[in-house]
Amino acid sequence: MPPSAEPRNPFYALLLISGLAFTVTVLALAVIPVLEKRWLDEGELPPASPLSEALREHGLTLVLWEVAAVIVFGLASMCLDRVRRLRSERAATTTPADGTPTGNSEPPPSA
């Protein structure tokens, strides 16, 4: 596969990481209480876990921050893509110093 002419958008990587963190956090918030309830239903105490304590205390706050990160990085990646596209379109339609049009410009009418 040939390399692309444009550099990679760094916000895509940040969006991927924040989306993955959001998914893992939400799954942990959904699964850990179910596992703890299963332990209690069997008559045993669930093992003490710093992860479950942290999720119980700060889980919702963490999810809200991750949602904000996904929104910010998503918008930033779309804006950067749009700016790059507009710059490339503008560069394709500019006229060089010798006056000959390039790109999508119409040729001058012959008189």
Side-chain angles (χ1 to χ4, degrees), residues 87-98:
R87 282 184 185 166
S88 68
E89 287 176 359
R90 187 177 304 142
T93 60
T94 57
T95 305
D98 65 355

Side-chain angles (χ1 to χ4, degrees), residues 13-35:
L14 294 172
L15 180 61
L16 178 68
I17 291 168
S18 60
L20 183 63
F22 170 77
T23 304
V24 169
T25 304
V26 169
L27 285 175
L29 282 171
V31 170
I32 289 177
V34 171
L35 293 176

